[in-house]
Amino acid sequence: MYLHLGQSTVIDDRDIIGIFDLDITSQSFRTRQFLNRAEQAGQVIYTNRNEIPKSFLLCAGQKQVEQRVYITTLNSNTLARRAENSRTVME
């Protein structure tokens, strides 16, 4: 199934490695370092640059070659619930 991240961004929910709350995780030096490196590598995709981001998703790339980081204005709990609901529908 697919997960809508806001604006016109939709991803395959099977690619999701993790959903993270930016308020909590950005307090960690390692997370900030990870996000900076991903940004420099061109792996970060913003769903909306005009609003304050609330969460990010770490996703596997096509054929597991490259990871992607989606930064979205949606709450991490909302995204997790959407992902869970899409899996329930498949069963």
Side-chain angles (χ1 to χ4, degrees):
M1 297 296 282
Y2 294 94
L3 182 63
H4 181 256
L5 302 182
Q7 299 295 71
S8 61
T9 307
V10 179
I11 61 169
D12 189 332
D13 67 355
R14 294 175 295 184
D15 291 344
I16 298 172
I17 297 170
I19 300 173
F20 305 92
D21 184 300
L22 270 172
D23 285 338
I24 296 169
T25 58
S26 64
Q27 295 175 15
S28 166
F29 171 75
R30 289 184 188 252
T31 302
R32 290 191 311 270
Q33 188 178 41
F34 166 76
L35 291 172
N36 285 333
R37 286 183 182 163
E39 178 89 51
Q40 292 172 355
Q43 298 170 331
V44 175
I45 300 165
Y46 291 88
T47 62
N48 186 343
R49 288 186 178 261
N50 298 325
E51 294 184 35
I52 296 172
K54 295 182 181 172
S55 60
F56 72 93
L57 291 88
L58 176 60
C59 297
Q62 296 176 0
K63 300 180 184 176
Q64 305 293 326
V65 174
E66 182 181 295
Q67 68 185 15
R68 294 178 312 270
V69 177
Y70 291 91
I71 297 183
T72 180
T73 59
L74 297 176
N75 183 289
S76 60
N77 290 328
T78 301
L79 292 168
R81 194 172 29 241
R82 286 183 184 182
E84 185 61 35
N85 287 340
S86 71
R87 288 189 184 107
T88 303
V89 170
M90 289 179 57
E91 294 174 353

